[in-house]
Amino acid sequence: MPTLDFWLDYASTYSYLAAARIGPLARAAAVTVRWRPFLLGPIFQAQGWNSSPFNIYAAKGRYMWRDMERSCEHLGLPLTRPARFPQNSILAARVALIGFDDGWGEDFSHAVYRAEFAESRDIGETATIAKILGKLGRDASHVLEQAQAAENKARLRSQTEEAQRLGIFGAPSFTTADDELFWGNDRLEAALAWARK
Amino acid sequence: MPTLDFWLDYASTYSYLAAARIGPLARAAAVTVRWRPFLLGPIFQAQGWNSSPFNIYAAKGRYMWRDMERSCEHLGLPLTRPARFPQNSILAARVALIGFDDGWGEDFSHAVYRAEFAESRDIGETATIAKILGKLGRDASHVLEQAQAAENKARLRSQTEEAQRLGIFGAPSFTTADDELFWGNDRLEAALAWARK
């Protein structure tokens, strides 16, 4: 089966949409998806941004939230605009790396996005992540220890560096085995079609 | 018939794609399209940008040109990356306002995009615009005089101000009768569906 890399940041609104859509679409297209959590923060900082462009550029931000409302309604996804945006997604990304090793990464990802964008919880807080892990039947303190180990932190850094090398500048992004890059939830279908070529 | 406003800048790569797609899609959806040329320049300047974000942010620019290649191939549209980007689109936009009054605005728009993105011509040069007008059977010097009249210049300024009031921050954009804004060639289908609601 062809493979598509799905680059997601847990702080990214449109990654929430892509995470909800990619499973069924990839199955229908017979494409295997590799979930690649990474951090947009260092990439934005390298562009001179110290926050999300949706905060820096007011019109773009207003548009994004309205577009998220429409898109979530269209997809049947819950949405409650979080009090804080963007949230700190480092811990979620570190835990996700463990989760994708252990087979619960996708469930964890959906739960994180739901906590953040539907349930008014702050995914930057350890308690939020611990609660999600508990609900998934994981030993939260053990997983958090693995997630915060130096080796796992380094893994997330190198995954983020790989994203930068691939030319990624936003999330969600998709890359194919032949290094084609597609940016944005709207391009998911095009990325899947390219992966099948 | 429901109406959709199509906001385009003649310097914008993705506006080229949307201009090529909107006619057949709108006819199939039974939606009337109102072409609204405007200038991104003042809007970008208000955001602190003195060039296209595709020039300011290198990774985003590299992505855009590759994505244009793929998209043009997919749509069967010619593409030759212009030596200069972005081009000065003021004259084209002023002439287009006359053209949409007189019924040749769409043909003019397609010819401008083709000159710029397929034929390595500079649409900022009066000679390029005059040649296009000639090919469309117009009296180029008369049209250029109308286009550069103070009243017509003011019209373009107020159209750009209207775009800003509507929250537009990029091109192409689409607005509906109930002031819903959709940004990007990828959202054209969603905009048409909303207009039909």
Side-chain angles (χ1 to χ4, degrees):
Chain A
M1 291 231 295
T3 298
L4 187 68
D5 280 14
F6 168 33
W7 297 86
L8 60 152
D9 184 316
Y10 291 102
S12 148
T13 46
Y14 287 107
S15 295
Y16 169 40
L17 305 187
R21 297 201 311 127
I22 199 166
L25 288 173
R27 275 189 293 280
V31 169
T32 302
V33 175
R34 201 154 53 128
W35 293 56
R36 312 287 307 268
F38 77 111
L39 297 179
L40 270 177
I43 292 177
F44 282 171
Q45 274 161 28
Q47 294 183 175
W49 294 339
N50 57 6
S51 181
S52 162
F54 296 125
N55 290 344
I56 297 170
Y57 304 110
K60 201 165 183 148
R62 274 192 299 274
Y63 172 77
M64 182 275 284
W65 288 111
R66 175 63 188 138
D67 192 47
M68 281 293 292
E69 282 176 3
R70 290 187 307 229
S71 301
C72 284
E73 196 184 321
H74 181 70
L75 296 168
L77 287 175
L79 178 70
T80 302
R81 183 170 167 176
R84 176 189 207 148
F85 177 82
Q87 294 187 2
N88 187 327
S89 57
I90 295 182
L91 181 61
R94 287 176 181 162
V95 168
L97 291 183
I98 308 296
F100 284 109
D101 285 346
D102 289 356
W104 45 268
E106 283 191 44
D107 290 342
F108 174 77
S109 299
H110 295 305
V112 166
Y113 283 124
R114 198 158 289 233
E116 180 180 20
F117 294 123
E119 297 167 355
S120 302
R121 288 189 282 152
D122 191 330
I123 64 160
E125 292 177 7
T126 307
T128 303
I129 301 299
K131 200 172 168 191
I132 290 170
L133 290 168
K135 283 205 176 171
L136 294 174
R138 318 312 309 177
D139 177 343
S141 61
H142 177 63
V143 171
L144 287 168
E145 202 176 293
Q146 288 176 285
Q148 301 286 38
E151 190 194 284
N152 193 60
K153 290 180 179 177
R155 238 172 114 195
L156 181 60
R157 273 197 300 278
S158 73
Q159 185 128 296
T160 296
E161 283 158 13
E162 190 184 341
Q164 256 173 314
R165 270 197 308 276
L166 288 166
I168 289 173
F169 56 91
S173 289
F174 312 95
T175 54
T176 63
D178 57 347
D179 282 351
E180 288 289 332
L181 169 62
F182 295 84
W183 168 53
N185 171 54
D186 286 329
R187 309 310 299 280
L188 171 53
E189 285 84 350
L192 286 167
W194 193 280
R196 286 168 58 88
K197 267 197 179 175
Chain B
M1 288 232 295
T3 299
L4 185 68
D5 279 15
F6 168 33
W7 296 87
L8 59 152
D9 183 316
Y10 292 101
S12 149
T13 47
Y14 287 108
S15 294
Y16 169 41
L17 304 188
R21 298 201 309 128
I22 200 166
L25 287 174
R27 275 190 293 280
V31 169
T32 301
V33 175
R34 201 155 53 130
W35 293 55
R36 311 288 305 270
F38 76 112
L39 297 179
L40 270 177
I43 292 178
F44 283 171
Q45 273 161 29
Q47 294 183 174
W49 294 339
N50 57 7
S51 181
S52 161
F54 296 125
N55 291 343
I56 297 171
Y57 304 109
K60 202 165 181 147
R62 275 191 299 273
Y63 172 77
M64 182 275 284
W65 288 111
R66 176 63 188 137
D67 192 48
M68 281 294 292
E69 282 175 3
R70 290 187 307 228
S71 300
C72 285
E73 196 184 321
H74 181 71
L75 296 168
L77 288 175
L79 177 71
T80 302
R81 183 169 167 175
R84 175 189 207 147
F85 177 83
Q87 294 187 3
N88 187 329
S89 57
I90 295 182
L91 181 60
R94 286 175 181 162
V95 169
L97 291 182
I98 309 293
F100 285 109
D101 286 347
D102 288 356
W104 45 267
E106 284 190 44
D107 290 341
F108 175 77
S109 299
H110 294 306
V112 167
Y113 283 124
R114 199 158 290 233
E116 179 179 21
F117 294 122
E119 296 166 358
S120 302
R121 288 189 284 152
D122 192 329
I123 64 160
E125 291 177 7
T126 306
T128 303
I129 300 298
K131 199 172 168 191
I132 290 170
L133 289 168
K135 283 206 175 168
L136 294 174
R138 319 311 310 178
D139 177 343
S141 62
H142 176 63
V143 171
L144 287 167
E145 201 176 295
Q146 290 177 286
Q148 301 286 38
E151 189 193 285
N152 194 59
K153 290 181 178 178
R155 236 172 114 196
L156 181 61
R157 272 197 300 277
S158 73
Q159 185 129 295
T160 297
E161 284 159 12
E162 189 183 342
Q164 256 172 314
R165 269 197 308 277
L166 288 166
I168 288 173
F169 56 91
S173 289
F174 312 95
T175 53
T176 62
D178 56 348
D179 281 350
E180 287 289 331
L181 169 62
F182 294 83
W183 168 54
N185 171 54
D186 286 328
R187 309 311 300 280
L188 171 53
E189 285 85 348
L192 287 166
W194 193 280
R196 286 168 58 88
K197 266 196 177 176

